[in-house]
């Protein structure tokens, strides 16, 4: 056995914790500098084998390279970072000849690159300090209100819950030393404005759209992103921060309950005493006066009503998790802007411009045909296609809508690969893409005109109104792209998001179900048939319009519209108006089977 191995055995018997003595490493001669220490070597694997054996420096390998017994301790790496017992043909040995090792297995070792870091390590902020007292109180208030006010529908309760949620984010950001920008305050105010839709309207589809848009604006206010990657990925921030936020909130609560100047104990005891006093004296006053009892019953949520206590506890936990996630994101937001792709590789003028010029010519030809067909009237459509005006309009709308979306995608790709070397390239980009945007606006106008003709013939529905609103918003996006080509694209992502938020807010406050009912009733008075069954499936927003129908159409249309007797915090203004109308003029009991099955002729009012 070699001297190194004997030394290892001696140290193992004596209990010496020092590492094994390196083998085959020459001592530096007098006057020569010592070799510089190398960084920790990367992973070593056996080259040419199916099963790759990894070995870190100083870790025990599968087989002793020296051919000694298996229980011998591994040798320490030398000053160059190469294990002393590595085979002579290892690629880590400088200027070493390639030869099989002493064991005769003929294996060669190669260095593998280190594993890449996680994708979010470069954009995720450092963990913030534990939350302060104000943040914890705001989160607790959010949890309490979520358990009490949610579960019966959305109305003013959504706006009430947003206030402590915003307060938790504000306090957490201030504690972390973040000062909100004006743009972040504007996004937050826009999110609160969108929550006016469930207060105003009863229809579920505009309400859901407004709540989702409000959540998106709130996420953008928390992160302060400016690029496309940040605008699109910002809503993921609070969702991905839920697990870390719960641990963060637990640490803050433990610190605040451990005693000190900002201890939670006095506050919790004060809240408990206040609750007991309110319950005792409120019960006494309610028993003493029936009017006060009715007022108190309408204001205080019924905990036992609705879905029960377990469901409300779940909502409270969900509200607490959401508040902590929002506060954690405000204190340490993820910089999603750092994940955005860099500028694309510019292409040559011919390679870039030729496809778009041909696309412009195709758009121009289509626009010319559309102008000839839509302006000359129904006779041209019937003679050329054998279709009615409404059938022609319906046939092409969806294709034009998809063409608009696809054009926006083409423009986004073209901007990345457009040449940017000089003024001529910039002029070419503006000319080609500007022409494409202008022609796209004509396509948008053609699509909207088609749907307008179709709705004039068959009436307005939720789907038709939604796709027209979508097409109009896409036209607004094209206009913003044109403006970005003139004034610069720095504000384009946020401008597109702001236009979407304004469109959602206007769409919700316009009460789409009310517009649908009024449009169909006006068409019925002009001599068109009435689909009473479809109108009976609308929300309470349509009750004021349907109330103008004569009997028995009025009662048959209003009988199926549900106006629940919800608490004040879950009742929208449309529901309140519908409840007053149906209370003043109750629905009569008429046979409605035939009326709800067939279309109503114009002679029936």
């Amino acid at each position: 056995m070699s001297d190194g191995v004997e030394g290892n055995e001696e140290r193992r018997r004596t209990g010496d914790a020092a590492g094994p003595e390196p083998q085959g490493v020459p001592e530096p001669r007098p006057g020569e500098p010592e070799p510089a220490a190398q960084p920790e070597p990367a992973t070593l694997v056996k080259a040419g084998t199916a099963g790759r054996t990894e070995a870190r420096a100083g870790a025990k390998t599968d087989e002793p390279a020296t051919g000694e017994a298996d229980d011998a301790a591994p040798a320490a790496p030398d000053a160059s970072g190469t294990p002393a017992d590595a085979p002579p043909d290892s690629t880590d040995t400088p200027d070493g000849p390639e030869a099989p090792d002493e064991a005769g297995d003929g294996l060669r070792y190669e260095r593998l690159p280190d594993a890449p870091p996680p994708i979010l390590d470069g954009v995720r902020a450092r963990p913030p300090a534990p939350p302060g007292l104000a943040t914890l109180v705001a989160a607790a208030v959010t949890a309490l209100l979520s358990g009490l006010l949610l579960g019966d529908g959305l109305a003013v309760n959504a706006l009430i819950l947003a206030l402590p949620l915003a307060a938790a984010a504000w306090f957490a950001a201030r504690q972390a030393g973040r000062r909100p920008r004006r743009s972040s305050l504007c996004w937050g105010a826009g999110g609160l404005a969108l929550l006016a839709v469930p207060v105003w309207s009863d229809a579920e589809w505009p309400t859901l759209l407004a709540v989702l848009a409000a959540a998106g604006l709130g996420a953008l206010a928390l992160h302060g992103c400016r690029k496309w990657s940040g605008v699109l990925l910002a809503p993921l921030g609070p969702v991905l921060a839920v697990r870390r936020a719960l641990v963060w909130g637990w640490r803050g609560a433990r610190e605040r309950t451990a005693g000190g100047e900002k201890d939670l104990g006095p506050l919790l005891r004060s809240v408990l005493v206040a609750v007991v006093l309110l319950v005792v004296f409120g019960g006494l006053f309610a028993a003493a006066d029936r009017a006060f009892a009715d007022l108190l019953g309408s204001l205080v949520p019924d905990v036992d009503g609705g879905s029960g206590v377990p469901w409300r506890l779940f909502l409270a936990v969900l509200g607490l998790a959401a508040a902590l996630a929002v506060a954690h994101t405000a204190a340490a937001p993820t910089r999603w802007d750092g994940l955005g792709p860099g500028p694309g590789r510019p292409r040559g003028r011919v390679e870039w411009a030729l496809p778009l010029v041909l696309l412009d010519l195709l758009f121009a030809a289509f626009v010319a045909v559309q102008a000839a067909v839509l302006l000359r009237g129904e006779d041209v459509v019937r003679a050329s296609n054998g279709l009615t005006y409404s059938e022609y309009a319906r046939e092409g709308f969806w294709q034009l809508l998809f063409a608009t979306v696809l054009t926006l995608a083409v423009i986004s790709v073209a901007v990345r690969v457009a040449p940017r070397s000089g003024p001529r390239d910039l002029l070419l980009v503006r000319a080609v893409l500007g022409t494409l945007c202008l022609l796209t606006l004509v396509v948008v106008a053609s699509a909207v005109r088609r749907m307008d003709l179709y709705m004039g013939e068959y009436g307005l529905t939720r789907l038709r109104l939604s796709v027209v609103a979508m097409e109009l918003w896409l036209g607004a996006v094209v206009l913003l792209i044109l403006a970005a080509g003139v004034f610069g694209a720095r504000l384009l992502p946020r401008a597109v998001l702001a236009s979407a938020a304004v469109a959602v807010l206007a769409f919700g406050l316009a009460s789409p179900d009310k517009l649908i009912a009024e449009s169909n009733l006006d068409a019925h008075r002009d001599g068109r048939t009435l689909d009473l069954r479809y109108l009976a499936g609308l929300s309470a927003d349509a009750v004021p319009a349907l109330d103008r129908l004569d009997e028995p159409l009025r009662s048959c249309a209003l009988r199926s519209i549900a106006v629940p007797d919800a608490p004040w915090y879950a009742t929208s203004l449309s529901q309140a108006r519908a409840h007053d109308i149906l209370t003043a003029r109750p629905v009569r009991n008429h046979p409605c089977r035939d009326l709800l099955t067939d279309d109503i002729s114009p002679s029936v009012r």
Side-chain angles (χ1 to χ4, degrees):
M1 185 176 293
S2 63
D3 296 338
V5 176
E6 291 176 354
N8 292 341
E9 294 292 338
E10 180 65 21
R11 276 187 292 271
R12 201 163 33 239
R13 287 193 300 268
T14 58
D16 191 356
E21 185 175 348
Q23 301 181 15
V25 181
E27 296 290 338
R29 297 180 180 180
E32 293 184 358
E34 295 185 1
Q38 300 293 332
E40 182 181 357
T43 304
L44 300 179
V45 297
K46 294 181 179 179
T49 59
R52 312 177 85 186
T53 306
E54 298 183 359
R56 286 285 181 183
K60 184 176 182 180
T61 57
D62 292 340
E63 298 178 2
T66 57
E68 298 294 336
D70 293 342
D71 58 350
D78 59 7
S80 64
T82 303
D85 55 353
D89 61 342
S90 173
T91 57
D92 296 329
T93 306
D95 301 331
E98 295 185 1
D101 60 349
E102 297 179 6
D105 55 3
L107 296 179
R108 206 164 40 83
Y109 289 81
E110 62 182 3
R111 187 184 301 272
L112 290 181
D114 294 332
I119 189 173
L120 295 181
D121 281 357
V123 296
R124 180 175 291 168
R126 295 181 180 179
L133 179 61
T135 304
L136 293 175
V137 171
V141 171
T142 304
L144 179 63
L145 293 179
S146 299
L148 293 177
L149 303 183
L150 292 181
D152 297 308
L154 286 180
V156 69
N157 49 5
L159 188 58
I160 294 175
L161 284 174
L163 297 179
L165 201 65
W170 175 271
F171 292 135
R174 297 290 292 182
Q175 182 185 1
R178 295 189 64 205
R179 293 184 178 180
R181 302 172 180 172
R182 293 182 179 178
S183 59
S184 297
L185 296 177
C186 292
W187 294 128
L192 293 177
L194 282 168
L195 294 181
V197 173
V199 178
W200 176 262
S201 176
D202 177 57
E204 295 180 355
W205 52 302
T207 295
L208 178 61
L209 193 62
V211 170
L212 293 178
L217 292 188
L220 194 62
L222 295 175
H223 293 85
C225 300
R226 299 183 177 183
K227 298 182 180 178
W228 280 114
S229 57
V231 170
L232 297 177
L233 297 177
L236 295 178
V239 178
L240 298 179
V242 171
R243 183 183 61 84
R244 299 190 305 273
L246 292 176
V247 177
W248 177 67
W250 173 252
R251 291 177 179 174
R254 288 185 58 183
E255 288 188 3
R256 296 297 178 254
T257 55
E261 296 181 358
K262 297 182 179 180
D263 190 5
L264 273 176
L267 178 61
L268 294 178
R269 290 190 293 270
S270 177
V271 171
L272 180 60
V273 172
V275 170
V276 171
L277 293 177
L278 291 177
V279 169
V280 172
F281 285 94
L284 293 176
F285 292 152
D289 190 285
R290 183 176 297 273
F292 182 79
D294 295 338
L295 176 63
L296 195 62
S298 62
L299 294 178
V300 177
D302 186 8
V303 179
D304 295 332
S307 301
V309 176
W311 174 243
R312 294 187 180 274
L313 289 177
F314 171 76
L315 292 176
V317 173
L318 190 64
L320 178 63
L324 290 177
V326 166
H328 186 277
T329 304
T334 302
R335 303 299 180 184
W336 296 108
D337 286 346
L339 294 179
R345 182 172 65 89
R347 305 290 180 175
R349 293 181 181 177
V350 176
E351 182 182 3
W352 171 84
L354 179 60
L356 293 182
V357 170
L358 295 178
L359 186 61
D360 287 344
L361 295 177
L362 178 63
F363 269 61
F366 176 80
V367 167
V369 173
Q370 289 295 292
V373 173
L374 294 178
L375 295 179
R376 293 175 63 182
E378 186 172 359
D379 295 336
V380 177
V381 174
R382 189 180 298 276
S384 59
N385 301 307
L387 302 175
T388 63
Y389 224 27
S390 58
E391 291 173 348
Y392 176 76
R394 180 187 62 181
E395 187 181 62
F397 172 79
W398 296 104
Q399 290 84 347
L400 295 182
L401 177 62
F402 182 72
T404 305
V405 177
L406 189 60
T407 303
L408 294 177
V410 170
I411 292 175
S412 64
V413 174
V415 170
R416 286 181 50 82
V417 301
R420 299 176 289 270
S421 58
R424 293 184 178 179
D425 291 334
L426 182 59
L427 180 61
L428 179 63
V429 170
R430 290 182 174 179
V432 175
L433 291 184
T435 303
L436 183 58
C437 289
L438 292 176
L439 294 174
T440 304
L441 288 176
V442 180
V443 173
V444 170
S446 175
V448 173
R449 175 59 178 165
R450 284 171 178 261
M451 185 53 65
D452 180 63
L453 294 174
Y454 185 69
M455 291 186 301
E457 182 68 24
Y458 293 101
L460 196 61
T461 63
R462 288 177 172 179
L463 178 61
R464 296 164 192 169
L465 183 60
S466 300
V467 294
V468 167
M470 180 69 178
E471 186 71 30
L472 291 175
W473 176 70
L474 291 176
V477 173
V478 175
L479 289 176
L480 291 176
I481 293 176
L482 280 172
V486 177
F487 302 104
R490 186 176 63 90
L491 299 178
L492 181 60
R494 290 178 287 177
V496 171
L497 182 63
S499 67
V502 171
V504 171
L505 180 61
F507 187 74
L509 295 181
S511 297
D513 283 2
K514 181 181 178 181
L515 294 178
I516 293 171
E518 291 177 347
S519 174
N520 282 272
L521 292 181
D522 293 340
H524 182 62
R525 294 188 180 92
D526 293 337
R528 295 182 177 88
T529 59
L530 183 67
D531 188 356
L532 194 65
R533 183 177 182 180
Y534 183 82
L535 297 180
L538 299 177
S539 64
D541 297 342
V543 170
L546 298 178
D547 184 58
R548 299 198 300 266
L549 285 170
D550 296 332
E551 295 291 349
L553 297 182
R554 175 187 176 275
S555 295
C556 293
L558 296 177
R559 182 177 301 171
S560 302
I561 297 180
V563 184
D565 189 12
W568 63 272
Y569 50 83
T571 302
S572 64
L573 295 178
S574 293
Q575 288 179 335
R577 287 194 300 268
H579 185 270
D580 294 339
I581 291 174
L582 295 179
T583 302
R585 296 179 60 191
V587 174
R588 299 178 185 178
N589 189 14
H590 290 291
C592 302
R593 181 176 180 180
D594 295 337
L595 295 177
L596 295 177
T597 303
D598 302 329
D599 291 339
I600 308 302
S601 62
S603 60
V604 181
R605 292 290 187 266

